Amino acid sequence: MLKAALLLLAIPAVILSADHKAMTQVAVGDAFPSLEGVADNQGAKATVIGVPGGPEWMNEMFTGDIKDDFAPKYADAGVKFVTLAGPRLGDNVAALSIDPTKLSNTLGEGRGPRVYVLDADGKVAWFDIEYSLSTHRELHAALDELTGK
């Protein structure tokens, strides 16, 4: 039981099938690629980068969760939030407009919406290529670990 509780306090592992790995250009431990405006919005403890895409219902769940759940909880804990395409999500979420072709060439393509968590050094600490309820749970776990919450 204690072992299971300790696992909940760690950043979740990113495990991809061969097909899903082929859709990505970055991995855990990589420096996040240089995209205009991202470095200017880096958080002191973590940065959450969202890339809308995929089915509309997933985008709506993703953008609603970032705006209404994650940003209010973590903005004062040293976490910044950035979307690379899509609508403005309020004062606590920077909205950048990166060309979709550049995003695909830089981050990979397929699935979506994607979410990346960068550590204080701008390295990928965790990511998921398709937003879901499990992504929501694991994003909380990653941010809790990086912020010490």
Side-chain angles (χ1 to χ4, degrees):
M1 180 74 160
L2 180 59
K3 195 176 206 180
L6 289 175
L7 288 175
L8 293 175
L9 299 176
I11 295 174
V14 175
I15 301 170
L16 301 171
S17 69
D19 288 344
H20 289 170
K21 189 171 184 172
M23 296 177 188
T24 66
Q25 298 292 325
V26 297
V28 171
D30 291 349
F32 194 76
S34 179
L35 292 167
E36 187 176 338
V38 172
D40 297 334
N41 288 289
Q42 188 166 337
K45 292 188 179 178
T47 307
V48 175
I49 299 177
V51 185
E56 189 57 36
W57 70 268
M58 280 186 191
N59 278 314
E60 289 176 9
M61 183 171 68
F62 168 71
T63 56
D65 286 352
I66 292 296
K67 178 183 170 199
D68 299 328
D69 182 8
F70 291 100
K73 180 176 180 181
Y74 296 102
D76 291 338
V79 180
K80 291 218 178 167
F81 296 85
V82 180
T83 60
L84 300 184
R88 179 153 171 73
L89 300 178
D91 294 337
N92 291 324
V93 184
L96 305 177
S97 292
I98 309 292
D99 176 66
T101 302
K102 184 171 187 169
L103 283 176
S104 292
N105 291 339
T106 305
L107 300 175
E109 61 185 349
R111 302 293 181 165
R114 291 182 180 212
V115 62
Y116 298 86
V117 176
L118 313 183
D119 64 15
D121 297 322
K123 291 187 177 179
V124 177
W126 179 85
F127 71 98
D128 202 345
I129 63 170
E130 185 176 58
Y131 195 79
S132 67
L133 291 175
S134 62
T135 306
H136 182 268
R137 180 182 58 251
E138 291 178 358
L139 179 54
H140 270 292
L143 292 175
D144 286 348
E145 179 69 16
L146 290 169
T147 62
K149 282 193 168 238

